[in-house]
Structure formats: C-alpha cells, structure tokens
Amino acid sequence: MPRVFVQGSPVDSYPRPAPEAGRGRVRRVTEVGEEVLHRPSRDVTEFGPDLAALIDDMFLTMYVADGAGLAANQVGVDLRLFVYDCPDDDGVRHVGHIVNPVLDPLGPAGRRLLDEGEGCLSVPGAVMDVPRPDRAVVRGLDKDGNALVIEGTGYFARCLAHETDHVNGQVYLDRLSRRDRKEALRQVADRRDEVFARRAAKTKALTT
C-alpha cells in the first residue's frame, strides 16, 4: 500500500511540508463569528496564477496553524476551495487541494458514523466530539480545471467532510448541541492566547 497520495494518486514520497508552502505567504485565519465563515462560498470560475498563489498561501497558513486542512474562507477568501495534508487511520498521508468540492451523499448502508474529537483552526483551542461518516468521496476540480475525485476513510474522511462543510458556510459548531457549542466556546476563551502564541512561533520557524 502506498504511504502517500498526492491529489488522489499514489507517489513514492512527497516533501513535508509540501513544496506549495515554500511559495506561499502566511495569511490571517478567520475566526468563528466572522461573516465569511457562515455563508456558502462562491464557485471558482477563474483558473490561473492567482488561484495557484492562493493555494500556496493556504498551504503555508495551514502548516503555521498546525492544521490538517484549510478552506479558502478561513483566510477570508469567498471561494469554494480547500487544501489538505492529512493522514488516514492507516497512517497513509494525503496531500492536495480541491476546487468547487461536492461531497457525495452516502446511503445508510454505505456509511458508519464515528463520534470522535474534531477541532478547527477557526475555533482555536476547542476540540469536541462530532459524528461523521467513516468514508467520504469528494468531487471537484484541480487548480487547472481538471476533474478530480478524492476518497478518504477514517480521519481523512472527517477532514474532507469538515472542509466541505466550510465551503458550504458551516463550521463544526453548527453540528453540536447548544450545550456542547457553549463548551467549545469556553475552551476557545481558555486556550486562544496559547494557540496564537504557538502559531506565531511556527510562523517564525517556517518563514525565516
């Protein structure tokens, strides 16, 4: 079994961090409550150097924030796009981006829900259990406009579903009960400063 998949295809190896990050610049990560996170993003209709540069910036920003995935609206850009560098439950690394992602619906016979801890770079410091299917299939395009299908299981499936939620204007807090949402926001209040201190240190380490 290959240990790395890039854009859904197996490769022998891939640098860590991904080379895209070396071309990018760090952007501010938006936080829960900001309007851009709570409305569906616009379809990408223009493919070219600006889109490629945005993807590079998103990769670097994701690594600085110690994330496994990052959607464009998490850097304040109202476009349907996310990047990822995420392991699955078998330790296989998945790296890539997907434009205009759509998550395939799974029938009851084709899914098993896992209720496991989930965090979000836009909800800094909070981790809550969120039920997600253990399998996900996302269809979209790459940065050149070519058709793309990405499949994931376990933690990577969670990542794909989480990031697709983002481009649809949802954060994982929207899937929680009122009580659990309140607990998540309490965690943010307690840990936000610590999270941002780590990000500042990581920014310095990755950009100097």
Side-chain angles (χ1 to χ4, degrees), residues 28-32 34 36-37 73-77 121-124:
R28 175 183 169 272
V29 176
T30 53
E31 294 185 59
V32 63
E34 296 184 42
V36 71
L37 289 174
N73 59 1
Q74 292 184 274
V75 293
V77 178
L121 301 184
S122 295
V123 190

Side-chain angles (χ1 to χ4, degrees), residues 113-136:
L113 286 180
L114 300 178
D115 198 10
E116 295 180 347
E118 190 166 321
C120 178
L121 301 184
S122 295
V123 190
V127 176
M128 299 294 295
D129 286 348
V130 182
R132 298 271 192 191
D134 66 347
R135 178 174 171 269

Side-chain angles (χ1 to χ4, degrees), residues 4 24 28 34 38 48 60 62 65 70 78 92 95 99 104 110 118 133 135 139 159 162 175 177 180 199:
V4 184
R28 175 183 169 272
E34 296 184 42
H38 301 282
L60 181 57
M62 175 180 69
L70 185 73
D78 180 26
V92 177
V95 188
V99 177
D104 276 6
E118 190 166 321
R135 178 174 171 269
R139 301 177 189 274
C159 175
H162 178 112
R175 294 184 174 274
S177 67
D180 286 349
R199 289 183 187 177

Side-chain angles (χ1 to χ4, degrees), residues 42-100:
R42 296 180 295 113
D43 279 348
V44 173
T45 57
E46 296 184 15
F47 297 81
D50 288 346
L51 180 63
L54 172 60
I55 289 169
D56 293 343
D57 291 353
M58 289 170 62
F59 265 101
L60 181 57
T61 304
M62 175 180 69
Y63 291 129
V64 161
D66 287 323
L70 185 73
N73 59 1
Q74 292 184 274
V75 293
V77 178
D78 180 26
L79 289 175
R80 294 180 62 86
L81 161 69
F82 67 81
V83 302
Y84 58 88
D85 189 340
C86 182
D88 61 26
D89 288 357
D90 296 317
V92 177
R93 181 184 174 209
H94 299 266
V95 188
H97 67 271
I98 188 162
V99 177
N100 298 339

Side-chain angles (χ1 to χ4, degrees), residues 12 68 135 144 185 188:
D12 292 334
R135 178 174 171 269
D144 299 313
L185 294 176
V188 172

Side-chain angles (χ1 to χ4, degrees), residues 151-187:
E151 300 185 36
T153 58
Y155 184 66
F156 182 46
R158 179 174 295 274
C159 175
L160 293 173
H162 178 112
E163 300 306 331
T164 304
D165 272 358
H166 271 305
V167 302
N168 292 331
Q170 278 196 313
V171 295
Y172 84 90
L173 299 186
D174 298 329
R175 294 184 174 274
L176 301 180
S177 67
R178 181 175 297 183
R179 178 179 177 180
D180 286 349
R181 180 185 174 93
K182 186 175 180 179
E183 167 60 19
L185 294 176
R186 184 196 65 76
Q187 291 180 25

